[in-house]
Structure formats: structure tokens, C-alpha cells
Short mmCIF file of all heavy atoms in Angstrom, two decimals:
data_model
loop_
_atom_site.label_atom_id
_atom_site.label_comp_id
_atom_site.label_asym_id
_atom_site.label_seq_id
_atom_site.Cartn_x
_atom_site.Cartn_y
_atom_site.Cartn_z
N MET U 660 105.07 101.01 62.16
CA MET U 660 103.98 100.30 62.78
C MET U 660 104.40 99.66 64.11
O MET U 660 103.55 99.35 64.92
CB MET U 660 103.48 99.23 61.79
CG MET U 660 102.09 98.81 62.04
SD MET U 660 100.95 100.17 61.88
CE MET U 660 99.45 99.34 61.73
N GLU U 661 105.68 99.49 64.33
CA GLU U 661 106.17 98.88 65.57
C GLU U 661 105.87 99.76 66.79
O GLU U 661 105.55 99.26 67.86
CB GLU U 661 107.67 98.62 65.47
CG GLU U 661 108.25 97.91 66.66
CD GLU U 661 107.70 96.50 66.84
OE1 GLU U 661 107.39 95.85 65.84
OE2 GLU U 661 107.57 96.08 68.00
N THR U 662 105.96 101.08 66.64
CA THR U 662 105.67 101.99 67.74
C THR U 662 104.21 101.88 68.16
O THR U 662 103.90 101.86 69.35
CB THR U 662 105.99 103.44 67.34
OG1 THR U 662 107.35 103.50 66.93
CG2 THR U 662 105.76 104.39 68.47
N TYR U 663 103.33 101.80 67.18
CA TYR U 663 101.91 101.66 67.48
C TYR U 663 101.63 100.39 68.28
O TYR U 663 100.87 100.41 69.25
CB TYR U 663 101.09 101.65 66.18
CG TYR U 663 99.64 101.33 66.41
CD1 TYR U 663 98.78 102.30 66.91
CD2 TYR U 663 99.13 100.05 66.17
CE1 TYR U 663 97.45 102.02 67.16
CE2 TYR U 663 97.81 99.76 66.41
CZ TYR U 663 96.97 100.75 66.90
OH TYR U 663 95.66 100.46 67.14
N THR U 664 102.25 99.31 67.88
CA THR U 664 102.04 98.03 68.57
C THR U 664 102.54 98.10 70.01
O THR U 664 101.87 97.61 70.93
CB THR U 664 102.76 96.90 67.82
OG1 THR U 664 102.33 96.90 66.46
CG2 THR U 664 102.46 95.56 68.44
N ALA U 665 103.69 98.72 70.22
CA ALA U 665 104.23 98.84 71.58
C ALA U 665 103.34 99.72 72.44
O ALA U 665 103.06 99.39 73.60
CB ALA U 665 105.65 99.41 71.51
N MET U 666 102.88 100.84 71.91
CA MET U 666 102.01 101.74 72.67
C MET U 666 100.67 101.07 72.97
O MET U 666 100.10 101.24 74.04
CB MET U 666 101.79 103.05 71.91
CG MET U 666 103.05 103.86 71.76
SD MET U 666 103.78 104.33 73.33
CE MET U 666 102.65 105.58 73.85
N ARG U 667 100.16 100.31 72.02
CA ARG U 667 98.90 99.60 72.22
C ARG U 667 99.03 98.55 73.31
O ARG U 667 98.16 98.40 74.17
CB ARG U 667 98.47 98.97 70.90
CG ARG U 667 97.23 98.12 70.96
CD ARG U 667 96.00 98.98 71.18
NE ARG U 667 94.86 98.19 71.49
CZ ARG U 667 93.89 97.89 70.63
NH1 ARG U 667 93.96 98.35 69.41
NH2 ARG U 667 92.88 97.16 70.98
N HIS U 668 100.14 97.84 73.31
CA HIS U 668 100.37 96.83 74.34
C HIS U 668 100.49 97.49 75.71
O HIS U 668 99.95 96.99 76.70
CB HIS U 668 101.64 96.04 74.03
CG HIS U 668 102.00 95.03 75.07
ND1 HIS U 668 101.21 93.93 75.34
CD2 HIS U 668 103.03 94.97 75.92
CE1 HIS U 668 101.76 93.23 76.31
NE2 HIS U 668 102.87 93.85 76.69
N PHE U 669 101.19 98.60 75.80
CA PHE U 669 101.33 99.33 77.06
C PHE U 669 99.97 99.81 77.56
O PHE U 669 99.65 99.68 78.74
CB PHE U 669 102.28 100.52 76.90
CG PHE U 669 102.38 101.36 78.13
CD1 PHE U 669 103.12 100.95 79.21
CD2 PHE U 669 101.70 102.57 78.21
CE1 PHE U 669 103.21 101.71 80.36
CE2 PHE U 669 101.78 103.35 79.35
CZ PHE U 669 102.54 102.92 80.43
N ALA U 670 99.18 100.38 76.67
CA ALA U 670 97.86 100.90 77.06
C ALA U 670 96.93 99.78 77.52
O ALA U 670 96.13 99.96 78.43
CB ALA U 670 97.24 101.67 75.91
N ASP U 671 97.04 98.63 76.89
CA ASP U 671 96.18 97.50 77.25
C ASP U 671 96.55 96.89 78.60
O ASP U 671 95.71 96.30 79.26
CB ASP U 671 96.24 96.41 76.18
CG ASP U 671 95.47 96.79 74.94
OD1 ASP U 671 94.66 97.73 75.01
OD2 ASP U 671 95.69 96.15 73.89
N SER U 672 97.80 97.03 79.01
CA SER U 672 98.21 96.39 80.26
C SER U 672 98.45 97.42 81.36
O SER U 672 97.62 97.60 82.25
CB SER U 672 99.46 95.55 80.03
OG SER U 672 100.50 96.37 79.52
N TRP U 673 99.56 98.12 81.33
CA TRP U 673 99.94 99.02 82.41
C TRP U 673 99.11 100.31 82.40
O TRP U 673 98.85 100.86 83.46
CB TRP U 673 101.43 99.36 82.33
CG TRP U 673 102.26 98.15 82.58
CD1 TRP U 673 102.99 97.46 81.66
CD2 TRP U 673 102.43 97.46 83.82
NE1 TRP U 673 103.60 96.39 82.25
CE2 TRP U 673 103.28 96.36 83.57
CE3 TRP U 673 101.94 97.65 85.10
CZ2 TRP U 673 103.65 95.48 84.58
CZ3 TRP U 673 102.31 96.77 86.10
CH2 TRP U 673 103.16 95.70 85.83
N GLY U 674 98.71 100.78 81.25
CA GLY U 674 97.88 101.98 81.19
C GLY U 674 96.54 101.77 81.86
O GLY U 674 96.05 102.62 82.60
N LEU U 675 95.96 100.61 81.61
CA LEU U 675 94.67 100.29 82.23
C LEU U 675 94.82 100.15 83.74
O LEU U 675 93.97 100.64 84.50
CB LEU U 675 94.11 99.00 81.63
CG LEU U 675 92.76 98.53 82.20
CD1 LEU U 675 91.69 99.58 81.93
CD2 LEU U 675 92.38 97.21 81.58
N LEU U 676 95.89 99.54 84.17
CA LEU U 676 96.14 99.40 85.60
C LEU U 676 96.32 100.77 86.26
O LEU U 676 95.77 101.04 87.32
CB LEU U 676 97.37 98.54 85.85
CG LEU U 676 97.78 98.35 87.31
CD1 LEU U 676 96.69 97.61 88.07
CD2 LEU U 676 99.10 97.63 87.38
N ALA U 677 97.07 101.65 85.61
CA ALA U 677 97.30 102.99 86.16
C ALA U 677 95.99 103.78 86.25
O ALA U 677 95.74 104.45 87.26
CB ALA U 677 98.32 103.74 85.30
N MET U 678 95.17 103.71 85.22
CA MET U 678 93.89 104.43 85.24
C MET U 678 92.95 103.87 86.32
O MET U 678 92.24 104.62 86.98
CB MET U 678 93.21 104.37 83.88
CG MET U 678 93.88 105.25 82.85
SD MET U 678 92.99 105.32 81.29
CE MET U 678 93.29 103.71 80.64
N THR U 679 92.97 102.55 86.51
CA THR U 679 92.14 101.93 87.54
C THR U 679 92.59 102.36 88.93
O THR U 679 91.75 102.70 89.79
CB THR U 679 92.18 100.40 87.42
OG1 THR U 679 91.76 100.03 86.11
CG2 THR U 679 91.30 99.73 88.45
N LEU U 680 93.89 102.36 89.17
CA LEU U 680 94.40 102.80 90.48
C LEU U 680 94.11 104.27 90.72
O LEU U 680 93.77 104.65 91.85
CB LEU U 680 95.90 102.53 90.56
CG LEU U 680 96.30 101.05 90.63
CD1 LEU U 680 97.81 100.92 90.61
CD2 LEU U 680 95.70 100.39 91.85
N PHE U 681 94.21 105.10 89.70
CA PHE U 681 93.88 106.51 89.83
C PHE U 681 92.41 106.68 90.19
O PHE U 681 92.06 107.46 91.08
CB PHE U 681 94.22 107.26 88.54
CG PHE U 681 93.88 108.71 88.59
CD1 PHE U 681 94.68 109.61 89.28
CD2 PHE U 681 92.74 109.20 87.96
CE1 PHE U 681 94.36 110.95 89.35
CE2 PHE U 681 92.41 110.53 88.02
CZ PHE U 681 93.22 111.42 88.71
N PHE U 682 91.54 105.97 89.51
CA PHE U 682 90.10 106.05 89.78
C PHE U 682 89.79 105.62 91.21
O PHE U 682 89.02 106.29 91.92
CB PHE U 682 89.33 105.17 88.78
CG PHE U 682 87.86 105.09 89.07
CD1 PHE U 682 87.03 106.14 88.73
CD2 PHE U 682 87.32 103.98 89.68
CE1 PHE U 682 85.67 106.07 89.00
CE2 PHE U 682 85.97 103.90 89.96
CZ PHE U 682 85.14 104.95 89.61
N LEU U 683 90.38 104.52 91.66
CA LEU U 683 90.13 104.06 93.02
C LEU U 683 90.67 105.05 94.04
O LEU U 683 90.05 105.27 95.09
CB LEU U 683 90.77 102.69 93.23
CG LEU U 683 90.10 101.54 92.48
CD1 LEU U 683 90.90 100.26 92.67
CD2 LEU U 683 88.67 101.36 92.92
N GLY U 684 91.80 105.69 93.74
CA GLY U 684 92.33 106.71 94.63
C GLY U 684 91.41 107.90 94.76
O GLY U 684 91.19 108.42 95.86
N VAL U 685 90.83 108.34 93.65
CA VAL U 685 89.89 109.46 93.68
C VAL U 685 88.64 109.08 94.47
O VAL U 685 88.15 109.88 95.28
CB VAL U 685 89.53 109.91 92.24
CG1 VAL U 685 88.36 110.86 92.23
CG2 VAL U 685 90.73 110.53 91.57
N VAL U 686 88.12 107.89 94.25
CA VAL U 686 86.93 107.46 94.98
C VAL U 686 87.21 107.39 96.48
O VAL U 686 86.39 107.86 97.29
CB VAL U 686 86.43 106.09 94.44
CG1 VAL U 686 85.39 105.48 95.35
CG2 VAL U 686 85.89 106.25 93.04
N LEU U 687 88.34 106.83 96.86
CA LEU U 687 88.68 106.78 98.29
C LEU U 687 88.89 108.17 98.87
O LEU U 687 88.52 108.42 100.02
CB LEU U 687 89.94 105.92 98.49
CG LEU U 687 89.76 104.43 98.23
CD1 LEU U 687 91.09 103.71 98.33
CD2 LEU U 687 88.75 103.84 99.19
N PHE U 688 89.46 109.08 98.09
CA PHE U 688 89.67 110.45 98.56
C PHE U 688 88.34 111.16 98.79
O PHE U 688 88.16 111.87 99.77
CB PHE U 688 90.51 111.22 97.54
CG PHE U 688 90.79 112.64 97.93
CD1 PHE U 688 91.72 112.94 98.90
CD2 PHE U 688 90.10 113.69 97.33
CE1 PHE U 688 91.98 114.25 99.27
CE2 PHE U 688 90.34 114.99 97.69
CZ PHE U 688 91.29 115.27 98.67
N ILE U 689 87.38 110.95 97.90
CA ILE U 689 86.08 111.60 98.01
C ILE U 689 85.27 111.05 99.18
O ILE U 689 84.60 111.80 99.90
CB ILE U 689 85.28 111.43 96.70
CG1 ILE U 689 85.98 112.15 95.56
CG2 ILE U 689 83.86 111.93 96.84
CD1 ILE U 689 86.12 113.63 95.76
N PHE U 690 85.33 109.75 99.40
CA PHE U 690 84.51 109.12 100.43
C PHE U 690 85.26 108.90 101.74
O PHE U 690 84.80 108.12 102.58
CB PHE U 690 83.94 107.80 99.92
CG PHE U 690 82.91 108.00 98.85
CD1 PHE U 690 83.15 107.57 97.56
CD2 PHE U 690 81.72 108.62 99.13
CE1 PHE U 690 82.21 107.76 96.57
CE2 PHE U 690 80.76 108.81 98.15
CZ PHE U 690 81.01 108.37 96.86
N ARG U 691 86.36 109.61 101.97
CA ARG U 691 87.07 109.48 103.24
C ARG U 691 86.23 110.15 104.33
O ARG U 691 85.37 110.99 104.05
CB ARG U 691 88.46 110.07 103.15
CG ARG U 691 88.50 111.57 103.07
CD ARG U 691 89.91 112.08 102.83
NE ARG U 691 90.00 113.49 103.06
CZ ARG U 691 89.58 114.44 102.22
NH1 ARG U 691 89.05 114.09 101.07
NH2 ARG U 691 89.70 115.70 102.52
N PRO U 692 86.48 109.81 105.60
CA PRO U 692 85.64 110.33 106.69
C PRO U 692 85.63 111.86 106.81
O PRO U 692 84.60 112.44 107.13
CB PRO U 692 86.26 109.71 107.94
CG PRO U 692 86.92 108.48 107.47
CD PRO U 692 87.40 108.78 106.08
N GLY U 693 86.71 112.56 106.55
CA GLY U 693 86.75 114.00 106.72
C GLY U 693 86.31 114.80 105.51
O GLY U 693 86.36 116.02 105.52
N ALA U 694 85.85 114.13 104.47
CA ALA U 694 85.52 114.83 103.23
C ALA U 694 84.19 115.59 103.30
O ALA U 694 83.99 116.54 102.54
CB ALA U 694 85.48 113.84 102.07
N LYS U 695 83.30 115.20 104.17
CA LYS U 695 81.98 115.83 104.22
C LYS U 695 82.08 117.31 104.59
O LYS U 695 81.43 118.16 103.99
CB LYS U 695 81.08 115.10 105.20
CG LYS U 695 79.65 115.53 105.13
CD LYS U 695 78.77 114.60 105.94
CE LYS U 695 77.32 114.93 105.68
NZ LYS U 695 76.41 114.00 106.32
N LYS U 696 82.93 117.62 105.56
CA LYS U 696 83.09 119.01 105.99
C LYS U 696 83.71 119.85 104.86
O LYS U 696 83.25 120.96 104.59
CB LYS U 696 83.97 119.06 107.23
CG LYS U 696 84.19 120.44 107.77
CD LYS U 696 85.08 120.40 109.02
CE LYS U 696 85.40 121.79 109.50
NZ LYS U 696 86.35 121.78 110.60
N SER U 697 84.72 119.32 104.21
CA SER U 697 85.37 120.04 103.11
C SER U 697 84.40 120.26 101.95
O SER U 697 84.39 121.33 101.34
CB SER U 697 86.58 119.26 102.61
OG SER U 697 87.53 119.14 103.62
N ALA U 698 83.59 119.26 101.64
CA ALA U 698 82.63 119.37 100.55
C ALA U 698 81.55 120.41 100.88
O ALA U 698 81.11 121.17 100.02
CB ALA U 698 81.98 118.03 100.26
N ALA U 699 81.13 120.46 102.13
CA ALA U 699 80.13 121.44 102.54
C ALA U 699 80.69 122.86 102.44
O ALA U 699 79.99 123.78 102.00
CB ALA U 699 79.66 121.16 103.97
N GLN U 700 81.94 123.04 102.83
CA GLN U 700 82.57 124.36 102.71
C GLN U 700 82.73 124.77 101.25
O GLN U 700 82.47 125.92 100.89
CB GLN U 700 83.94 124.37 103.40
CG GLN U 700 83.86 124.30 104.89
CD GLN U 700 85.24 124.19 105.54
OE1 GLN U 700 86.22 123.93 104.87
NE2 GLN U 700 85.29 124.38 106.85
N ALA U 701 83.13 123.85 100.42
CA ALA U 701 83.31 124.15 99.01
C ALA U 701 81.99 124.46 98.32
O ALA U 701 81.91 125.31 97.43
CB ALA U 701 83.99 122.98 98.30
N SER U 702 80.91 123.78 98.73
CA SER U 702 79.61 124.04 98.11
C SER U 702 79.02 125.38 98.52
O SER U 702 78.17 125.93 97.82
CB SER U 702 78.63 122.91 98.46
OG SER U 702 78.32 122.97 99.84
N ALA U 703 79.48 125.95 99.63
CA ALA U 703 78.98 127.23 100.09
C ALA U 703 79.76 128.43 99.52
O ALA U 703 79.35 129.57 99.72
CB ALA U 703 79.02 127.29 101.61
N ILE U 704 80.84 128.17 98.81
CA ILE U 704 81.66 129.27 98.27
C ILE U 704 80.87 130.23 97.37
O ILE U 704 80.98 131.44 97.53
CB ILE U 704 82.89 128.71 97.54
CG1 ILE U 704 83.87 128.12 98.55
CG2 ILE U 704 83.60 129.78 96.70
CD1 ILE U 704 85.06 127.41 97.93
N PRO U 705 80.02 129.76 96.45
CA PRO U 705 79.28 130.71 95.61
C PRO U 705 78.31 131.58 96.39
O PRO U 705 77.91 132.65 95.93
CB PRO U 705 78.53 129.82 94.62
CG PRO U 705 79.25 128.53 94.61
CD PRO U 705 79.82 128.38 95.99
N LEU U 706 77.90 131.14 97.57
CA LEU U 706 76.91 131.87 98.35
C LEU U 706 77.55 132.89 99.29
O LEU U 706 76.83 133.72 99.87
CB LEU U 706 76.07 130.89 99.15
CG LEU U 706 75.35 129.82 98.32
CD1 LEU U 706 74.63 128.84 99.23
CD2 LEU U 706 74.41 130.44 97.33
N ASN U 707 78.86 132.81 99.47
CA ASN U 707 79.54 133.75 100.35
C ASN U 707 79.59 135.14 99.73
O ASN U 707 79.81 135.29 98.54
CB ASN U 707 80.97 133.29 100.62
CG ASN U 707 81.03 132.03 101.46
OD1 ASN U 707 80.06 131.68 102.11
ND2 ASN U 707 82.15 131.35 101.42
N GLU U 708 79.37 136.14 100.56
CA GLU U 708 79.45 137.50 100.07
C GLU U 708 80.89 138.00 100.19
O GLU U 708 81.61 137.63 101.11
CB GLU U 708 78.52 138.41 100.87
CG GLU U 708 77.06 138.09 100.65
CD GLU U 708 76.17 139.07 101.36
OE1 GLU U 708 76.58 140.23 101.55
OE2 GLU U 708 75.05 138.68 101.71
N ASP U 709 81.28 138.86 99.28
CA ASP U 709 82.66 139.39 99.32
C ASP U 709 82.84 140.45 100.34
O ASP U 709 82.21 141.23 100.78
CB ASP U 709 83.05 139.94 97.95
CG ASP U 709 83.24 138.80 96.96
OD1 ASP U 709 83.52 137.68 97.41
OD2 ASP U 709 83.07 139.06 95.76
#
């Protein structure tokens, strides 16, 4: 039962912090100034002919 308690404590503190930082990084990556052009190119991929 000691392993469970240690993992639970880690998930409640550092795990939550890591997931929050990852989420904020993804949000900042998506909404960066140059992302609009990349998103437009990626959305047109299914429409491109081979």
C-alpha cells in the first residue's frame, strides 16, 4: 500500500503541475502568431489532388 500512497501524492502535486504546463504549452503553440498559415495548409491536405 505504500507504493500507492507515494504515487497518489506525486500525481496530486507534481503530476498535476506537469499536466497543467503541458496544456498551457499546447494552447500557446496553437495560438501563436504563425499558426494560422500552418493550420490553413493542414486543413487543405484532404482536398489536394495526388
Side-chain angles (χ1 to χ4, degrees):
M660 203 61 164
E661 184 64 33
T662 303
Y663 172 77
T664 305
M666 295 300 286
R667 176 70 191 258
H668 177 66
F669 176 76
D671 285 344
S672 58
W673 294 108
L675 180 62
L676 178 64
M678 287 186 288
T679 303
L680 290 176
F681 178 77
F682 175 77
L683 290 175
V685 168
V686 168
L687 291 174
F688 180 76
I689 295 299
F690 291 114
R691 72 186 193 282
K695 190 170 189 174
K696 181 180 175 186
S697 298
Q700 289 175 347
S702 68
I704 289 174
L706 303 176
N707 292 342
E708 293 185 28
D709 290 335

